[in-house]
């Protein structure tokens, strides 16, 4: 069968001449004889520091592609640095996915290697690849090594929150806090906790979209480059076998990913990302699947933010395949990987080498992990909480609401010594959903009021329509849908209302009569600071973004357009 790239390069007509001639800057004539052309969708960027090493990874992929008889082609794509991009990288996830999708479709390529790392990069690459459905394989950039401060390991992200709370609570000097800064990031690679980047790298592997055994390899580890070489070789084979995302990413593979997400104690951000990826493929996945399939799965990994260790400990202890072997009976044996073999066929050899870091099934960190999906008159379309990152005594709680309309409002008032708040108060932050912010930032784990920190309070119930960093922790109810800016009841809660959280019953309610709730008219006006954008991506985003419970994709990006382009450019 004629390769896709041959549609550009084969033949003797003027158009084929143009396509070949402009590419002959190092490529020999036999590059156009029908061999697979493999794009390397590369999110390397100096402004995405977690991915800045990906050019080196790309070189190893190139060598693998060449060795297998293909032609590697570097394709820089939109990159998002989680710590830098304003107002939040999530605003740009769908833009990155859309731009990459269109670039993959528009160019003469037969397959693609997806190089990602920092939080939004792997999700956006997978969304793009799913909508184009060319043979695609993810090569995760890997986590950084563990830094230490005063002799103790530092979990990047998680320890920033902890140390800054120590400063606010008066237990750490600002000078000491700033001294920790140079130790926080020890090496190349993404955050080394079980945050969103680590989670999405591992989830990509469980979905079947990486070479098995690769995700979680630390970025500076020489085995990462060996894996990149192998991934390049595999991409060529995938084109020859026509192994596409639609054959790998099935409902079975998504349910396997949910089991793994629970067992590793992964980030809540995986919920919106997996729903968005599934939406691109038409896979029937809903938010309740995370609760139905994930609850009851034991937490087997003792990693920050909920636990003690970090990603290089995880890799040393046996990594993802060792975890999956422990929950093998919960995995669908039919789900395939990019190699053409089922995921479960890779588990026989897996071993746990450190049972402190990765627990055996009979000795879990926690018996029931996963993500709980809550409903009630405060979240008619659902909200999520990660019980493993919460305080057990707060999982059933009744308290008075203290409402902040915006992040700025919260910052202005939170540390006011006269703020009417105690440890039982339920902190509510709204205006942080996909439309409201816009972009659904990671602000749901709002800081605790300074005067309560000084009293020794370490956790409170917090409720928000935004997201939470995968490196954060606490009793935080997030992704409340509909969000306040979409007319959800979160927009009409008033300070002083009683809020009832009951995670075991999966309920989140405001204790006011239904008539009163109905009488409080939800409107965008209740979301202080919400201004409908006038132009540009923000306008397109706010006008089209869906709610968190379906993945926060743009409504017109859901689904797939395939890889065919019928019209010539000249
Ligand atoms: Fe890039 Fe955490 S900031 S992974």
């Amino acid at each position: 069968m004629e390769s896709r790239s041959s549609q550009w390069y084969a033949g003797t007509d003027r158009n084929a001449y143009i396509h070949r001639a402009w590419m002959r800057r190092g490529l020999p004539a036999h590059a156009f004889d029908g061999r697979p052309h493999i794009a390397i969708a590369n999110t390397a960027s100096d402004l995405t520091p977690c991915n800045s090493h990906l050019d080196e990874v790309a070189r190893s992929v190139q060598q693998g592609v060449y060795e297998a008889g293909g032609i590697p082609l570097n394709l820089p794509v939109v990159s998002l640095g989680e710590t830098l991009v304003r107002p939040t990288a999530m605003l740009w996830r769908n833009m990155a996915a859309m731009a990459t999708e269109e670039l993959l479709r528009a160019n003469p390529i037969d397959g693609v290697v997806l190089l990602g790392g920092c939080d939004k990069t792997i999700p956006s690459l997978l969304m793009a690849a799913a909508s184009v459905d060319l043979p695609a394989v993810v090569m995760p950039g890997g986590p950084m090594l563990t830094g230490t401060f005063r002799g103790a390991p530092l979990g990047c992200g998680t320890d920033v929150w902890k140390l800054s709370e120590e400063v606010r609570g008066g237990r750490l000097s600002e000078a000491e806090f700033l001294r920790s800064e140079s130790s926080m990031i020890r090496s190349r690679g993404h955050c080394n906790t079980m945050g969103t980047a680590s989670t999405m790298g591992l989830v990509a592997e469980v979905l079947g979209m990486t070479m098995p055994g690769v995700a979680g390899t630390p970025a500076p580890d020489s085995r990462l480059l060996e894996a990149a070489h192998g991934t390049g070789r595999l991409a060529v084979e995938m084109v020859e076998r026509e192994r596409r995302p639609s054959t790998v990413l099935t409902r079975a593979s998504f349910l396997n990913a949910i089991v793994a997400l629970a067992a590793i104690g992964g980030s809540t951000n995986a919920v919106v990302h997996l729903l968005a990826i599934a939406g691109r493929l038409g896979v029937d996945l809903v938010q309740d699947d995370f609760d139905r399939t994930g609850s009851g799965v034991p937490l087997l990994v003792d990693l920050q933010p909920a636990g003690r260790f970090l990603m290089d400990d995880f890799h040393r202890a046996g990594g993802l395949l060792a975890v999956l072997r422990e929950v093998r009976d919960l995995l669908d044996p039919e789900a395939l990987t990019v190699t053409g073999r089922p995921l479960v066929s890779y588990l026989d050899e897996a071993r746990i080498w450190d049972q402190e870091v990765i627990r055996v099934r009979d000795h879990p960190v926690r018996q029931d992990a996963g993500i709980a999906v809550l409903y009630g008159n405060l979240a008619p379309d659902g909200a999520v909480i990660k019980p493993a990152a919460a305080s057990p005594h707060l999982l059933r709680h009744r308290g008075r609401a203290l409402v902040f309309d915006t992040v700025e409002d919260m910052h202005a008032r939170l540390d006011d010594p006269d703020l009417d708040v105690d440890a039982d108060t339920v902190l509510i932050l709204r205006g942080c959903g996909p439309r409201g912010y816009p972009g659904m930032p990671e602000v749901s784990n709002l800081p605790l009021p300074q005067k309560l920190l000084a009293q020794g309070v370490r956790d409170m119930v917090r409720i928000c329509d935004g997201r939470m960093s995968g490196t954060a922790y606490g009793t935080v109810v997030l992704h409340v849908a509909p969000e306040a800016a979409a007319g959800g009841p979160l927009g009409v809660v008033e300070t002083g209302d009683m809020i009832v959280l009951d995670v075991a019953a999966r309920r989140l309610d405001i204790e006011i009569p239904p008539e009163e709730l109905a009488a409080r008219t939800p409107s965008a006006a209740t979301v202080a600071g919400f201004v409908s954008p006038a132009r540009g991506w923000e306008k397109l985003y706010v006008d089209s973004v869906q709610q968190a419970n379906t993945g926060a994709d743009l409504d017109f990006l859901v689904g797939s357009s395939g890889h065919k382009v019928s019209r010539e450019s000249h």
Side-chain angles (χ1 to χ4, degrees):
M1 198 183 81
E2 184 193 43
S3 70
R4 182 175 185 271
S5 57
S6 295
Q7 295 165 17
W8 277 258
Y9 296 126
T12 54
D13 63 12
R14 186 195 62 185
N15 286 344
Y17 171 105
I18 292 172
H19 299 145
R20 288 191 303 265
W22 263 254
M23 288 296 283
R24 293 185 96 154
R25 305 174 205 219
L27 286 185
H30 66 258
F32 309 104
D33 64 2
R35 64 190 66 207
H37 284 224
I38 307 294
I40 302 170
N42 188 351
T43 53
S45 163
D46 289 342
L47 285 166
T48 306
C50 305
N51 293 15
S52 59
H53 63 297
L54 290 184
D55 284 335
E56 185 184 10
V57 178
R59 282 195 286 280
S60 291
V61 173
Q62 282 172 354
Q63 288 165 2
V65 171
Y66 272 131
E67 189 179 88
I71 302 296
L73 299 149
N74 191 34
L75 179 65
V77 294
V78 177
S79 189
L80 299 169
E82 191 68 25
T83 51
L84 299 177
V85 169
R86 291 179 174 175
T88 167
M90 185 64 175
L91 174 63
W92 313 109
R93 181 200 67 177
N94 299 338
M95 185 192 79
M98 187 165 83
T100 303
E101 172 187 341
E102 300 300 347
L103 281 177
L104 295 180
R105 184 177 296 113
N107 276 295
I109 58 166
D110 302 294
V112 58
V113 176
L114 308 164
L115 295 193
C118 197
D119 291 18
K120 303 299 174 293
T121 51
I122 286 181
S124 61
L125 291 168
L126 280 172
M127 290 162 72
S131 285
V132 180
D133 205 27
L134 284 170
V137 52
V138 174
M139 179 61 222
M144 64 183 81
L145 300 176
T146 303
T148 59
F149 179 56
R150 299 186 301 193
L154 273 180
C156 73
T158 304
D159 274 321
V160 179
W161 316 134
K162 284 193 176 148
L163 293 172
S164 68
E165 292 292 85
E166 297 291 301
V167 174
R168 293 178 67 245
R171 291 179 302 283
L172 182 73
S173 73
E174 191 174 80
E176 278 292 278
F177 175 64
L178 293 176
R179 247 191 293 282
S180 73
E181 182 182 310
S182 60
S183 312
M184 186 60 68
I185 305 300
R186 179 166 163 220
S187 74
R188 63 180 70 183
H190 60 66
C191 291
N192 57 10
T193 54
M194 189 57 80
T196 305
S198 300
T199 299
M200 291 311 299
L202 299 174
V203 158
E205 178 163 324
V206 186
L207 285 171
M209 290 298 292
T210 74
M211 284 206 319
V214 168
T217 305
D221 194 307
S222 54
R223 286 169 288 187
L224 190 88
L225 297 182
E226 186 181 347
H229 186 102
T231 298
R233 289 184 57 89
L234 176 62
V236 174
E237 178 196 316
M238 289 175 67
V239 170
E240 286 159 358
R241 304 279 166 90
E242 286 204 68
R243 210 172 287 139
R244 300 175 186 277
S246 55
T247 59
V248 175
L249 295 169
T250 59
R251 180 167 164 81
S253 62
F254 280 96
L255 295 183
N256 284 352
I258 291 172
V259 170
L261 184 64
I264 64 174
S267 163
T268 47
N269 283 321
V271 177
V272 283
H273 296 324
L274 282 168
L275 288 168
I277 297 163
R280 297 302 186 97
L281 293 145
V283 168
D284 177 26
L285 188 79
V286 294
Q287 188 166 257
D288 286 346
D289 284 320
F290 288 82
D291 203 334
R292 277 194 289 261
T293 303
S295 297
V297 175
L299 174 62
L300 298 178
V301 175
D302 190 0
L303 247 65
Q304 292 189 35
R308 294 177 290 163
F309 297 100
L310 292 161
M311 281 301 286
D312 50 0
D313 301 309
F314 178 69
H315 190 249
R316 169 179 56 77
L320 178 66
L321 296 181
V323 179
L324 294 181
R325 186 181 152 117
E326 294 296 308
V327 291
R328 184 177 190 150
D329 57 309
L330 304 176
L331 300 174
D332 190 317
E334 303 290 319
L336 295 175
T337 70
V338 281
T339 64
R341 284 172 51 191
L343 178 69
V344 295
S345 72
Y346 290 92
L347 304 184
D348 295 339
E349 309 285 298
R351 291 287 178 279
I352 299 174
W353 302 110
D354 184 339
Q355 294 192 8
E356 286 288 301
V357 181
I358 299 176
R359 303 286 186 85
V360 295
R361 179 78 166 264
D362 294 340
H363 185 48
V365 177
R366 193 189 164 105
Q367 196 55 55
D368 295 325
I371 283 161
V373 179
L374 313 174
Y375 290 94
N377 63 6
L378 201 47
D381 292 337
V384 305
I385 185 169
K386 186 173 166 185
S391 301
H393 73 283
L394 291 174
L395 291 174
R396 187 153 186 235
H397 183 79
R398 182 173 178 273
R400 204 171 50 88
L402 172 58
V403 179
F404 299 101
D405 274 326
T406 63
V407 173
E408 292 76 16
D409 176 32
M410 180 264 291
H411 285 308
R413 291 197 288 135
L414 193 71
D415 288 339
D416 181 343
D418 295 329
L419 190 70
D420 185 11
V421 64
D422 60 34
D424 291 331
T425 304
V426 174
L427 303 177
I428 291 187
L429 175 59
R430 62 191 175 198
C432 300
R435 291 190 84 230
Y437 200 69
M440 208 182 171
E442 295 182 330
V443 294
S444 298
N445 58 317
L446 57 168
L448 305 189
Q450 200 155 21
K451 69 178 184 185
L452 296 184
L453 282 172
Q455 292 167 18
V457 176
R458 290 292 171 270
D459 194 10
M460 295 169 73
V461 174
R462 289 158 275 178
I463 299 173
C464 183
D465 45 11
R467 294 175 304 119
M468 176 169 86
S469 165
T471 61
Y473 56 93
T475 309
V476 184
V477 178
L478 53 162
H479 304 188
V480 173
E483 62 173 299
L490 195 68
V492 299
V493 180
E494 294 172 4
T495 292
D497 288 338
M498 292 305 290
I499 305 294
V500 181
L501 168 69
D502 187 342
V503 175
R506 301 296 192 259
R507 296 291 303 178
L508 180 66
D509 291 289
I510 172 172
E511 253 183 11
I512 57 173
E515 324 73 75
E516 188 183 336
L517 186 59
R520 295 184 191 178
T521 312
S523 77
T526 61
V527 185
F530 176 69
V531 181
S532 195
R535 65 173 298 279
W537 171 257
E538 284 197 18
K539 176 167 175 47
L540 190 63
Y541 180 89
V542 166
D543 288 350
S544 309
V545 72
Q546 299 186 324
Q547 290 295 287
N549 61 310
T550 54
D553 202 355
L554 302 193
D555 52 13
F556 61 86
L557 289 176
V558 173
S560 165
S561 304
H563 58 80
K564 291 205 166 59
V565 189
S566 54
R567 305 191 83 177
E568 193 37 287
S569 57
H570 35 255

